[in-house]
Amino acid sequence: MGLDFTAIDFETANGFRGSPCAVGLTKVRGGRVVDEASWLMRPPANHDHFEYHNVRIHGIRSEDVAGLPRFGELFPEIGAFIGGDILAAHNAAFDLGVIRSGLEVSGLAGPAYEYVCTVMLSRRCYSLVSNSLPFAAEEAGVPLVNHHDAAEDARACAGILIDIAARNNANSIAELYLSLGLELPRQDAFDPARDDLSKASLAALSAAAGGRSGAPVRPFMSGWPEEGANPLPNIDAEPSHPLYGQTVVFTGQLAMARPEAKVRSAELGARPESRVTARTTVLVVGDGFVASDLRSGRLTGKARRVLELHDRGQPIEVISEGEFLQMVGGYAGVAAV
């Protein structure tokens, strides 16, 4: 059994995961890219509005997909390309969530998938201050020119996984996970006519029924953000989630109230804290921060402290609020930031 998988990347029209407007797929056999596919599409009906934040990042507009098949109509082709492969995605919780929510609101059943998250593997196998796709691709020696082009992002994700497998002398996904002491995660098959809907789909359907386009956005307020309590991590959370087992600190203004962000992270198995210490493993930065700011120097005091600690050997990762919202199922809506 060789290093065989399909890498996938979605871009979405708005903050709901179930609003895919583009997908890229890269098929790997024996550690080599053998096929690629990509589609533009209309998101599912009633979830097909394009929000400024998403368009600004991926450049896809409603007129670019006008008249194209919707996600539910295209999924048979997407699913046929994937076949029975293990899926790989950079922040797999997001991309697997796109499949689930997109099919749920389309009234369609979905197959089970085993999957690999290259954010998780990058965190384990590299030592980067950010494991966002451009940083991980650079470490893997993979070209990434047009970030947020779904086809190119899927290709970069595939290259990262190939590099990580090579560094661990693994000839298959099973060997890689065995060498790292990990269990391959799985998204079970589902049927919206029979099974409970995901939280993301329920929230979006509720918002649509109320005539709103998505979750309410908390307006920016000057002054010191309210920290709130630090809830204990959920010991029954899914260990394959990228926040599970992490100690998370927040800095800067978030669209989501900080106490809510702490609750959401704790539900997924993280331990939220209020200041950067030797225990900190993840710093979530608000105020519109993106990973490229690590190079430009547009940083909060906490972020500078993290860079100092990282340079001293403490493995802290800096992520944007958009990345965090993807991980917790919030309204960020763009993949592989």
Side-chain angles (χ1 to χ4, degrees):
M1 185 177 181
L3 186 64
D4 302 342
F5 62 91
T6 293
I8 190 166
D9 178 83
F10 282 102
E11 302 295 333
T12 57
N14 55 68
F16 171 43
R17 287 180 176 182
S19 65
C21 58
V23 65
L25 297 149
T26 298
K27 188 170 287 291
V28 172
R29 289 290 180 267
R32 295 181 179 276
V33 174
V34 297
D35 200 5
E36 294 183 323
S38 63
W39 287 271
L40 289 176
M41 68 197 75
R42 281 189 297 162
N46 302 317
H47 305 280
D48 52 2
H49 61 283
F50 280 71
E51 292 178 355
Y52 168 79
H53 174 74
N54 298 67
V55 173
R56 180 176 61 85
I57 290 177
H58 54 55
I60 303 168
R61 293 172 167 79
S62 59
E63 54 264 34
D64 298 322
V65 301
L68 294 181
R70 293 194 186 274
F71 171 71
E73 299 171 271
L74 269 178
F75 191 76
E77 291 183 66
I78 297 169
F81 186 94
I82 298 168
D85 280 3
I86 295 169
L87 281 176
H90 205 72
N91 189 8
F94 174 78
D95 294 279
L96 271 294
V98 170
I99 293 175
R100 174 144 193 164
S101 287
L103 290 176
E104 284 178 334
V105 297
S106 301
L108 299 172
Y113 289 112
E114 292 183 309
Y115 63 90
V116 170
C117 178
T118 50
V119 169
M120 291 281 290
L121 294 179
S122 173
R123 192 178 281 162
R124 281 221 171 209
C125 300
Y126 299 152
S127 181
L128 304 174
V129 72
S130 169
N131 289 291
S132 65
L133 190 65
F135 280 74
E138 181 180 40
E139 177 68 18
V142 177
L144 180 60
V145 178
N146 298 311
H147 184 26
H148 293 297
D149 174 271
E152 189 162 344
D153 284 359
R155 192 180 310 129
C157 173
I160 292 165
L161 183 50
I162 292 168
D163 178 68
I164 288 174
R167 294 190 188 203
N168 287 274
N169 299 311
N171 295 313
S172 69
I173 300 295
E175 281 188 20
L176 175 61
Y177 268 64
L178 183 64
S179 70
L180 295 174
L182 297 173
E183 184 175 339
L184 192 64
R186 173 185 173 92
Q187 176 167 281
D188 291 331
F190 60 90
D191 184 342
R194 179 192 65 228
D195 301 319
D196 292 337
L197 297 183
S198 63
K199 288 184 179 179
S201 293
L202 287 170
L205 289 169
S206 175
R212 294 181 290 113
S213 62
V217 176
R218 177 172 176 260
F220 178 86
M221 299 184 338
S222 62
W224 198 263
E226 179 191 352
E227 278 289 338
N230 291 315
L232 293 175
N234 174 16
I235 59 173
D236 296 321
E238 174 55 56
S240 64
H241 193 278
L243 289 176
Y244 184 87
Q246 304 299 316
T247 300
V248 182
V249 175
F250 299 87
T251 184
Q253 288 284 355
L254 309 177
M256 178 184 293
R258 195 173 292 183
E260 181 185 354
K262 289 185 173 185
V263 169
R264 298 277 286 275
S265 61
E267 288 174 346
L268 293 165
R271 181 180 297 277
E273 294 191 343
S274 299
R275 60 190 182 90
V276 175
T277 69
R279 295 184 299 272
T280 307
T281 59
V282 173
L283 179 72
V284 180
V285 184
D287 297 322
F289 165 85
V290 293
S292 60
D293 290 337
L294 291 169
R295 293 191 173 103
S296 69
R298 193 182 74 85
L299 300 172
T300 67
K302 284 183 182 177
R304 290 192 182 90
R305 173 66 173 154
V306 162
L307 291 178
E308 292 171 3
L309 292 173
H310 192 274
D311 288 343
R312 295 176 191 172
Q314 184 175 338
I316 304 179
E317 178 185 0
V318 180
I319 67 174
S320 68
E321 181 185 12
E323 290 171 289
F324 172 76
L325 287 173
Q326 287 179 4
M327 292 175 182
V328 301
Y331 281 71
V334 289
V337 290

